[in-house]
Amino acid sequence: MASDLAPPPKTSKNPLGLLMIAAPVVLMGLFLLYPALRVVLRTFGAADGSPGFSLENYARFFNDSYSLNNLGITLWTTVVTLILLIVVNLPIALYLRFRKGRLATFIQALALFPMFVPGVIICYALIRYIGPNGLLQSLLEHVGITGYQTPIMTPWGPVIGLLWDAMPFTLLVLTAGLAGISNAAIEAAQDVGASRLRILWSIVLPQIRGSLVVCTSLNFLSLFGSVLQPYMLGPTSPELMGPFMLRTFSSVRDPLQAGTQATITFLICSVAGLLYILSMGNRRKAEKETVA
Amino acid sequence: MNVSDLSRRNFLKTSSALGLGGLMAGTFVLRANAAPGVIDVIINSDTNILDFWTQVIKPGFEAANAGVTLNLVSSGGGAATDLLAERAFAALQTKTDPQVDFLEAYGPYHPADAISAGLWTDFPKAGLANYANINPVTVRNEWSLPYRGSQVVMFYNGDKIPNPPKSFPELIEWIKANPGEFAYARPDKGDSGACFIERALQEVTGKNPDLFKGDNYSESYAKPFYDKLWPLLKDIAPSLYKGGEYTAGNTPSIQLLASGAISMTIAWSDMALTAINEGVVPESTRLAQLGDLAFTGGFSTIVIPKSAANYALAVKLADFIISPEIQNKIVTGLGGFPSLKWDAMDPALAAKYAAAAPTSIPEFPGTWEPSLFDGWYREVAANLARD
């Protein structure tokens, strides 16, 4: 997060700077914003494509219990995964902050490992390991534990796959946040007899609130729109919005309804995006005040 | 590291979360103008077929026609190819370049008025040297040219099932008698599952495949048929793997069988044979076809817009893919069925395969599939009794 700590750039009219951002901006406008805008505008038209403003497509989505179920399971998967990400990664990040040495380095490397493994490989590995008649089941049966039910093809399958995938990013953000906490404050608290829990609650957590908001809001975006893990590890139905949109577009061949689902997904995700931007803004303001 | 991870996520987010990946592929797949001597071939099939085109058809055709290049483009199937056909149709009406010369694994029924407007090439009249050798049972209409066939089979553990079901009612009976031992794929994922529910649809409507044609789908015509299908599929759901779970495609079905989690699934014959040859599944794994009415499968056809900028070359390419040279390789290289008559094929191959190959493969029209598959998700898959 080094870039966030850098001082805000001075406003300048240097043409070279504008030239440097021109290519990506034009590419984004041409290949992303323009087609996306066209799709969004079309979803606010009639279902048969005739001109004029109409909320018909949205009425269809929100009156369809199947679509609403899919939206529900997407929210469930996102929230459960987000909670588990913090529950799993915060203790690791705390450990890495306060312990140094070979073991800590090893644990950090282990936790960052998923970053270097493509998602599709992780999915196949999980299927082979925790899937039906997989390695885990065989091992359990070897020690006499039978009746193992695989989480693959249940709503927990995508949660496990997404947890694996999002872990390195979450850990990096949390360790970066924890690195900013001064030892002095913690030692001072220890001197007056504060318990470890008290230190965590009153000193550590308030100082990494920004990091928590950043990793929660950014993870929300990628989890909510995920396609691969729900498709490979999840149940047939209900579907997460990612595979649902894809199926509506390519198999049901209903680009308009797929666009409507995409716009709804986008609006929900933009709440998380807004949260992220607000927290960035607050941080900038706080930094300015400290400097002043 | 942090930054690159973020940008990777951003890319994934924008391309998948907004569902625009497919749209953009459909919109930007082609160059602005057709180039002379470059045939734009849109491949609608799975990656193994794209490999076959890349490794066999493309080098063969380019070697025989100096200065000609095949531009193979995978459309990703489904709606993306529909958009290309719609664009070709619109271009016909404005008398402009359709920017596509050749559509693989596509039929002539989309857009609805394309045939009457004269968009597609009439193959019997297109002057193909090899057309006389086409096996008539593979031909569905004059605007599409069949070039490879495949069929769906029961793929099962021969140790556990010495006598596989011989008819569809026997299969249903077996599924119910062996709860948790059978799985089929989601119909929109790889089509082996689609062929199972399509065969079930034919079963509940009196085993009359002629009821389902490429140009006769309408919501009101289909509804009474579908209303008979859903109860059957819902009835067997509790007896399926995990009490009604469906695999994510052709390969996951075979993996589930290979792991021993189930004893029978539905698979494409070519993929099943490859799985046996590569040792992916135990040696005791067997294939069987239904004796009463075979599982649907079919011949993949190609279509060519008459207004294509490289029309003459596209027709030449069509003639090439139904030549004995390529048709023999469809048998040996793809494990598929040829669309030529067996007496036009390599005599050694004909002697080996002609008896085993079906005289006809029942087909199910693609125009019915969007409503059938979506209905399946809503009526069958959404009604899981989870514990």
Side-chain angles (χ1 to χ4, degrees):
Chain A
M1 308 316 292
S3 61
D4 301 328
L5 300 173
K10 277 177 252 162
T11 2
S12 110
K13 294 209 168 75
N14 185 355
L16 187 69
L18 288 177
L19 212 64
M20 277 169 76
I21 62 156
V25 166
V26 166
L27 273 177
M28 273 197 47
L30 210 60
F31 289 99
L32 189 69
L33 299 178
Y34 172 65
L37 194 69
R38 272 182 58 129
V39 172
V40 172
L41 287 179
R42 272 188 61 195
T43 65
F44 287 102
D48 59 2
S50 56
F53 177 82
S54 157
L55 288 175
E56 221 175 304
N57 296 309
Y58 291 87
R60 209 175 120 201
F61 183 93
F62 287 106
N63 285 323
D64 176 26
S65 63
Y66 185 82
S67 300
L68 289 178
N69 260 343
N70 289 347
L71 190 61
I73 190 74
T74 312
L75 279 170
W76 180 88
T77 306
T78 306
V79 171
V80 168
T81 312
L82 281 175
I83 293 171
L84 287 176
L85 273 171
I86 300 295
V87 167
V88 169
N89 285 296
L90 190 58
I92 302 177
L94 285 169
Y95 178 84
L96 294 176
R97 167 67 182 79
F98 294 109
R99 289 279 181 282
K100 298 281 170 254
R102 274 196 187 163
L103 186 64
T105 317
F106 176 71
I107 288 174
Q108 182 160 24
L110 204 62
L112 294 184
F113 176 66
M115 186 180 270
F116 305 101
V117 188
V120 67
I121 306 287
I122 293 175
C123 288
Y124 273 112
L126 282 172
I127 291 172
R128 296 295 294 262
Y129 183 60
I130 59 171
N133 288 358
L135 185 61
L136 183 63
Q137 187 173 357
S138 306
L139 289 173
L140 288 174
E141 277 167 12
H142 205 71
V143 296
I145 302 169
T146 53
Y148 170 79
Q149 289 293 322
T150 174
I152 304 290
M153 290 196 198
T154 76
W156 289 100
V159 171
I160 294 170
L162 290 167
L163 195 61
W164 230 97
D165 196 47
M167 196 166 147
F169 170 73
T170 312
L171 192 67
L172 279 176
V173 175
L174 289 181
T175 41
L178 283 169
I181 301 175
S182 71
N183 281 336
I186 293 164
E187 279 158 13
Q190 273 171 339
D191 288 345
V192 295
S195 69
R196 284 185 170 192
L197 212 63
R198 182 80 200 167
I199 293 174
L200 176 69
W201 190 254
S202 302
I203 296 177
V204 176
L205 284 185
Q207 292 200 54
I208 59 162
R209 206 175 56 196
S211 303
L212 286 172
V213 172
V214 167
C215 70
T216 305
S217 50
L218 289 185
N219 275 330
F220 185 97
L221 298 179
S222 61
L223 293 174
F224 201 86
S226 60
V227 175
L228 184 72
Q229 289 85 353
Y231 164 59
M232 288 189 67
L233 307 173
T236 309
S237 177
E239 304 162 82
L240 259 68
M241 289 309 284
F244 183 42
M245 284 186 275
L246 202 62
R247 186 173 71 79
T248 306
F249 177 72
S250 77
S251 166
V252 185
R253 305 194 180 191
D254 188 346
L256 199 55
Q257 192 58 28
T260 308
Q261 294 161 359
T263 309
I264 292 166
T265 305
F266 170 73
L267 289 175
I268 293 172
C269 284
S270 59
V271 175
L274 198 68
L275 212 65
Y276 171 74
I277 292 167
L278 283 180
S279 99
M280 284 292 115
N282 282 344
R283 189 186 278 203
R284 288 249 162 84
K285 219 159 84 187
E287 273 158 18
K288 253 189 202 160
E289 277 160 14
T290 3
V291 173
Chain B
M1 192 190 294
N2 201 352
V3 171
S4 71
D5 185 57
L6 276 175
S7 59
R8 180 180 69 102
R9 270 158 206 284
N10 274 326
F11 171 73
L12 288 175
K13 229 174 293 159
T14 44
S15 60
S16 60
L18 298 179
L20 285 169
L23 274 182
M24 291 180 67
T27 318
F28 296 108
V29 87
L30 292 173
R31 298 180 316 278
N33 278 305
V38 179
I39 313 178
D40 290 319
V41 179
I42 309 299
I43 304 288
N44 214 2
S45 299
D46 214 334
T47 43
N48 60 327
I49 306 301
L50 181 62
D51 281 352
F52 184 76
W53 274 81
T54 312
Q55 289 158 18
V56 178
I57 296 178
K58 182 177 157 79
F61 189 72
E62 287 174 353
N65 298 275
V68 176
T69 312
L70 295 193
N71 176 33
L72 303 177
V73 182
S74 175
S75 73
T81 320
D82 282 353
L83 284 175
L84 295 176
E86 283 160 24
R87 184 203 287 180
F89 188 44
L92 179 77
Q93 283 154 338
T94 55
K95 297 201 166 50
T96 44
D97 180 359
Q99 297 174 16
V100 47
D101 299 311
F102 194 103
L103 293 165
E104 188 267 355
Y106 204 67
Y109 295 111
H110 185 91
D113 301 323
I115 293 175
S116 56
L119 175 61
W120 306 118
T121 301
D122 187 343
F123 284 105
K125 293 177 191 151
L128 305 184
N130 293 304
Y131 197 82
N133 290 327
I134 287 272
N135 186 346
V137 301
T138 68
V139 176
R140 289 289 167 274
N141 51 64
E142 51 268 54
W143 307 282
S144 63
L145 181 70
Y147 85 103
R148 63 176 181 89
S150 44
Q151 65 171 346
V152 157
V153 292
M154 290 176 278
F155 197 34
Y156 65 97
N157 180 332
D159 288 341
K160 287 192 189 159
I161 311 165
N163 302 305
K166 290 188 170 53
S167 65
F168 197 79
E170 276 182 37
L171 174 61
I172 296 294
E173 214 173 283
W174 183 89
I175 292 169
K176 287 188 183 172
N178 298 276
E181 295 292 315
F182 180 82
Y184 65 90
R186 301 167 199 173
D188 59 316
K189 306 282 192 286
D191 267 359
S192 59
C195 291
F196 176 80
I197 66 170
E198 285 156 8
R199 178 62 183 82
L201 181 62
Q202 291 167 344
E203 186 71 21
V204 295
T205 53
K207 285 187 212 172
N208 181 7
D210 292 339
L211 290 172
F212 312 101
K213 291 186 180 303
D215 54 356
N216 74 353
Y217 172 80
S218 77
E219 217 176 305
S220 53
Y221 177 69
K223 192 176 183 302
F225 298 142
Y226 289 174
D227 285 346
K228 285 184 189 161
L229 174 66
W230 310 136
L232 171 72
L233 295 178
K234 275 192 260 192
D235 184 38
I236 61 166
S239 311
L240 298 177
Y241 173 67
K242 263 185 179 278
E245 196 39 80
Y246 305 89
T247 69
N250 300 328
T251 308
S253 290
I254 293 174
Q255 281 174 340
L256 210 55
L257 181 70
S259 75
I262 54 169
S263 307
M264 190 194 287
T265 187
I266 301 294
W268 286 104
S269 53
D270 52 335
M271 297 183 87
L273 289 171
T274 312
I276 292 178
N277 290 340
E278 290 178 351
V280 174
V281 289
E283 267 182 38
S284 58
T285 314
R286 305 259 179 281
L287 286 75
Q289 183 54 278
L290 297 174
D292 49 348
L293 173 66
F295 279 110
T296 55
F299 279 85
S300 293
T301 60
I302 61 108
V303 294
I304 297 175
K306 264 190 211 163
S307 48
N310 294 300
Y311 176 77
L313 283 173
V315 168
K316 208 169 179 186
L317 176 62
D319 208 6
F320 181 68
I321 62 171
I322 58 165
S323 67
E325 180 193 344
I326 294 297
Q327 290 290 309
N328 287 329
K329 284 177 183 156
I330 280 173
V331 178
T332 54
L334 265 185
F337 300 112
S339 63
L340 285 194
K341 294 173 194 157
W342 283 102
D343 52 22
M345 301 283 290
D346 178 354
L349 286 181
K352 196 171 167 193
Y353 291 104
T359 46
S360 74
I361 298 177
E363 267 190 326
F364 192 85
T367 43
W368 283 66
E369 291 186 334
S371 65
L372 179 65
F373 295 177
D374 196 39
W376 179 88
Y377 267 89
R378 289 160 180 275
E379 298 288 335
V380 182
N383 282 296
L384 288 185
R386 293 205 177 278
D387 39 49

